Amino acid sequence: MNTADKSMYVWETIPWRKLERSVFKLQKRIYQASQRGDVKTVHKLQRLLIKSWSAKCLAVRRVTQENRGKKTAGVDGIKSLTPIQRLALVKNLKLSQKSRPTRRVWIPKPGTKEERPLGIPTMADRALQALVKLALEPEWEAKFEPNSYGFRPERSCHDAIEAIFNTIRYKAKFVLDADIAKCFDSINHEALLRKLNTSPTIRHQIKAWLKAGVIDWKAYSERKEAYSHTSKDTPQGGVISPLLANIALHGLENRITQAFPKRNLLVNGKTVTIPSPAVIRYADDFVILHEDLSVVQRCQQIASDWLKDMGLELKPSKTRTSHTLQKYEENTGFNFLGFNVRQYPQGKNHSGKNTNGQLLGFKTLIKPNNEAIKRLLSKTAEIIGSMKAAPQPELIKRLNLTLRGWANYYSTVVSKDAFAKADHLLFSQLKSWAEFRHHNKGTSWVKAKYWKTIGTEKWVFTNSTKEARLLEIADTPILRYTKVKGNSSPFDGNWVYWSSRLAKYPGISKDAAFLLRRQKGKCSRCGLNFKMGDVMEIHHIDGNHNNNKNSNLSMLHGHCHDHAHSIWLENEFKALEEW
């Protein structure tokens, strides 16, 4: 696209479909060149992509439009941009050796009283980071280990849990459950830059981001010394930070496999295969599984030594060894990503079987851990406590958002008992809420007012019109999740495979899954395939949000949805003027 073509566009008329196709073609070539080890071609294509007007537009759209969360400003105070300002940012977007400091805010850690720092870059730096990520991600997707699942496109917590299940389903094993202490805050900059091994221009820009320093907003508001240098860490909050952290931790699985390669031994005239330890990592949390305790203990030392090269270390309080079936060091099984993984001894009627149909003597079950239920009830108690005077439909709406997300997350494992327990405890919280509102009334009157019978269902928390009803967590169906194939990546271009997976993802609602299947995984406006990281929104075609008939609904990208509504409003204004 030449300069004359670019100048004729306003933001709303940019041909996004054409731009995305152009950028993806370059990313696919980078991925393929990285797979065959052609470093020279990788760097050449990355330079081409970073200079591309198409990639710059997509990077700006990523940080200014597709961010549906809370808008937080960096040190420049800019929270959002107008369409004209977005085009100006695209025009001025280029790599340099400079960066403004990040704004440090403190957010609470879930389930603890601790706080963790979040570094918010300026809007311009965010857009530049998104641009560099477009170039770097396909290169590293071709290199990353198959059992790395955190902060990677089209991979999730459920893939990591399914990988663990596949590893232990036929054999009990010892497990090292490890956590890296302050991973994002401790990564050695020089070691990370050496590992990146990228072109000088990208390297200088990333170094500028790493060394930019931070301004602590809490200290600044209290008129204390706020600025501090950053000699180590990758600031959490930047677009590129998760990718840099994954690059820093890349190689751990290969190091363990090299130390304990797969072996075939001859025992009593039979060949016995001794597998390598399984290393399954999600961001800075990982587990190492093997049937031999001494191997697992040796792996802990190897992992600890390997992490030192990146300036990292294991967190003693969150690193422990256990066994999936038997008690070891007062522990049986382990917790990972909010799930409890454990094997239970069983008789012949309930025992699992191996591939030959032989009884194993145990059954592998993965459930929500106790802390997960406590966190849910703590959140619902907070919502209920803040809405003591609110109408019942408003309370139901707020609670359903939390309950649906929690239930969907655990809908792929053995969760029925946990769901029933959560429903029972939530009932107690709502009963207290209702009795507080009507402390002069009896229990029977309160229950009759807020709990109704709908069809054959009794004790449904709903209003008098029965339009708004509380979600029963126990009604969530349990559907087995299929793990992503080995080293598959969205940059391989197999859209049939990736589109079919998206509709089955646990985080997708029933309506969204139906629309995705009907539209064959494509946006009904731009025609491009949806990816897991995309913002997807349900669009009401006639503009009436109360008309939820399937014929009136379609699934759009977030930015396509914005554009559709802007056109609809424009037409409404024209019709009003004509009238």
Side-chain angles (χ1 to χ4, degrees):
M1 191 177 291
N2 59 44
T3 307
D5 292 334
K6 298 171 193 174
S7 60
M8 64 183 284
Y9 288 116
V10 293
W11 187 260
E12 291 79 7
T13 62
I14 290 175
W16 295 108
R17 179 188 176 94
K18 185 176 180 181
L19 267 57
E20 291 207 30
R21 286 184 179 277
S22 172
V23 170
F24 180 75
K25 284 179 182 178
L26 274 177
Q27 288 183 311
K28 188 176 179 181
R29 289 173 65 190
I30 293 170
Y31 176 79
Q32 291 170 339
S34 181
Q35 275 188 317
R36 62 177 184 266
D38 189 349
V39 177
K40 185 177 179 180
T41 301
V42 167
H43 291 176
K44 179 182 176 182
L45 292 170
Q46 285 175 336
R47 287 194 295 270
L48 188 62
L49 188 146
I50 284 174
K51 292 178 181 178
S52 160
W53 186 78
S54 300
K56 290 178 180 180
C57 286
L58 292 178
V60 171
R61 188 184 72 182
R62 162 77 175 81
V63 300
T64 60
Q65 276 189 287
E66 294 182 358
N67 179 16
R68 288 304 204 247
K70 182 181 178 182
K71 290 180 171 60
T72 308
V75 295
D76 58 354
I78 297 175
K79 290 184 178 181
S80 59
L81 299 178
T82 64
I84 294 174
Q85 290 172 326
R86 290 174 200 154
L87 283 172
L89 180 56
V90 169
K91 185 178 179 181
N92 297 322
L93 206 61
K94 61 181 179 180
L95 299 187
S96 67
Q97 298 184 29
K98 296 179 181 179
S99 174
R100 298 188 71 175
T102 59
R103 176 192 177 196
R104 173 169 288 174
V105 294
W106 296 86
I107 59 173
K109 278 189 176 182
T112 67
K113 294 182 179 179
E114 298 178 23
E115 290 184 323
R116 63 183 178 91
L118 197 65
I120 311 297
T122 63
M123 189 68 74
D125 278 328
R126 271 181 260 178
L128 201 52
Q129 287 183 16
L131 180 62
V132 172
K133 186 181 178 182
L134 287 174
L136 282 181
E137 195 165 51
E139 175 195 356
W140 282 92
E141 275 297 304
K143 297 178 182 180
F144 281 143
E145 296 150 328
N147 284 315
S148 164
Y149 298 101
F151 304 122
R152 290 181 59 188
E154 308 295 343
R155 294 182 175 229
S156 67
C157 299
H158 299 90
D159 291 299
I161 294 300
E162 192 64 19
I164 290 171
F165 178 78
N166 292 338
T167 302
I168 64 172
R169 65 186 303 182
Y170 299 128
K171 186 167 285 189
K173 295 183 178 181
F174 286 94
V175 56
L176 172 70
D177 179 13
D179 181 67
I180 300 170
K182 297 183 179 180
C183 177
F184 283 83
D185 302 332
S186 306
I187 293 174
N188 183 288
H189 289 173
E190 297 307 318
L192 175 59
L193 291 170
R194 282 196 303 272
K195 200 168 188 178
L196 271 169
N197 191 30
T198 189
S199 60
T201 51
I202 296 178
R203 184 183 187 279
H204 292 323
Q205 183 61 72
I206 292 175
K207 185 176 181 179
W209 287 327
L210 294 174
K211 302 289 186 183
V214 297
I215 295 178
D216 192 317
W217 220 243
K218 187 187 290 185
Y220 180 78
S221 61
E222 295 172 357
R223 299 187 181 278
K224 297 178 182 177
E225 182 63 36
Y227 178 79
S228 59
H229 294 282
T230 47
S231 57
K232 58 181 182 178
D233 82 358
T234 59
Q236 295 181 67
V239 177
I240 204 172
S241 298
L243 176 61
L244 295 180
N246 264 338
I247 292 170
L249 296 174
H250 168 68
L252 177 60
E253 184 179 346
N254 289 336
R255 177 67 186 91
I256 298 292
T257 304
Q258 288 169 6
F260 298 97
K262 183 178 178 180
R263 294 175 294 156
N264 292 321
L265 300 179
L266 194 63
V267 179
N268 298 327
K270 293 183 179 180
T271 302
V272 179
T273 301
I274 307 297
S276 298
V279 183
I280 296 162
R281 181 173 65 84
Y282 188 91
D284 58 343
D285 293 331
F286 66 91
V287 292
I288 300 176
L289 301 136
H290 198 268
E291 56 195 276
D292 189 336
L293 176 60
S294 62
V295 171
V296 171
Q297 290 172 335
R298 177 68 183 134
C299 286
Q300 180 175 354
Q301 185 58 47
I302 292 171
S304 184
D305 294 340
W306 184 88
L307 288 169
K308 284 179 183 177
D309 294 337
M310 292 302 302
L312 303 171
E313 61 182 7
L314 297 178
K315 190 173 185 176
S317 61
K318 291 190 177 181
T319 300
R320 64 190 186 96
T321 303
S322 63
H323 193 267
T324 56
L325 178 61
Q326 301 165 354
K327 183 174 284 190
Y328 178 77
E329 293 184 352
E330 302 301 319
N331 299 311
T332 307
F334 62 99
N335 294 325
F336 191 65
L337 302 177
F339 297 87
N340 178 257
V341 183
R342 186 175 171 182
Q343 292 166 326
Y344 297 82
Q346 298 288 348
K348 63 179 182 179
N349 293 328
H350 298 284
S351 170
K353 297 178 181 179
N354 63 16
T355 52
N356 297 322
Q358 298 171 328
L359 296 177
L360 298 172
F362 63 83
K363 196 171 186 68
T364 303
L365 298 180
I366 300 178
K367 308 176 183 180
N369 64 26
N370 292 330
E371 289 300 316
I373 299 175
K374 288 179 182 178
R375 284 195 298 270
L376 172 68
L377 293 170
S378 175
K379 179 66 176 175
T380 55
E382 182 184 332
I383 293 171
I384 293 169
S386 66
M387 302 186 73
K388 289 181 178 179
Q392 188 184 12
E394 287 297 317
L395 176 63
I396 290 173
K397 183 179 178 181
R398 283 280 305 277
L399 285 175
N400 279 349
L401 288 173
T402 299
L403 299 178
R404 187 173 288 109
W406 188 87
N408 285 342
Y409 183 76
Y410 291 105
S411 65
T412 63
V413 296
V414 185
S415 301
K416 279 298 182 183
D417 288 345
F419 286 177
K421 180 180 179 180
D423 277 333
H424 173 71
L425 295 172
L426 179 59
F427 170 80
S428 299
Q429 290 180 343
L430 291 171
K431 182 171 173 287
S432 298
W433 172 84
E435 289 175 345
F436 174 83
R437 289 164 68 95
H438 305 280
H439 54 275
N440 293 328
K441 301 290 185 179
T443 302
S444 299
W445 185 93
V446 170
K447 287 183 178 179
K449 178 174 176 61
Y450 291 105
W451 281 268
K452 313 290 183 185
T453 298
I454 299 180
T456 59
E457 297 180 85
K458 294 183 178 180
W459 298 109
V460 178
F461 189 71
T462 182
N463 61 343
S464 56
T465 60
K466 300 182 182 180
E467 293 176 359
R469 58 172 295 176
L470 187 72
L471 174 73
E472 290 280 341
I473 305 176
D475 291 341
T476 305
I478 304 297
L479 301 173
R480 186 68 181 270
Y481 182 79
T482 303
K483 189 180 82 69
V484 66
K485 291 179 183 176
N487 282 314
S488 296
S489 170
F491 297 110
D492 59 19
N494 187 0
W495 288 114
V496 174
Y497 172 70
W498 294 113
S499 298
S500 65
R501 280 184 59 80
L502 188 59
K504 299 173 185 176
Y505 181 64
I508 300 291
S509 67
K510 288 182 181 179
D511 291 340
F514 169 78
L515 293 173
L516 284 169
R517 285 193 291 270
R518 187 177 73 181
Q519 297 171 200
K520 297 180 180 179
K522 295 183 178 181
C523 174
S524 61
R525 186 169 186 83
C526 68
L528 293 174
N529 291 86
F530 288 109
K531 303 186 288 294
M532 192 180 287
D534 290 345
V535 177
M536 298 181 292
E537 295 176 346
I538 295 176
H539 173 57
H540 292 75
I541 297 170
D542 65 357
N544 179 10
H545 284 237
N546 294 320
N547 181 4
N548 290 313
K549 294 181 179 179
N550 289 332
S551 58
N552 188 49
L553 302 177
S554 66
M555 183 65 78
L556 304 181
H557 286 107
H559 51 270
C560 292
H561 197 195
D562 290 344
H563 192 209
H565 273 274
S566 67
I567 291 174
W568 182 83
L569 285 172
E570 188 177 330
N571 292 336
E572 286 291 306
F573 281 127
K574 284 182 180 178
L576 188 62
E577 286 175 358
E578 290 173 2
W579 181 80

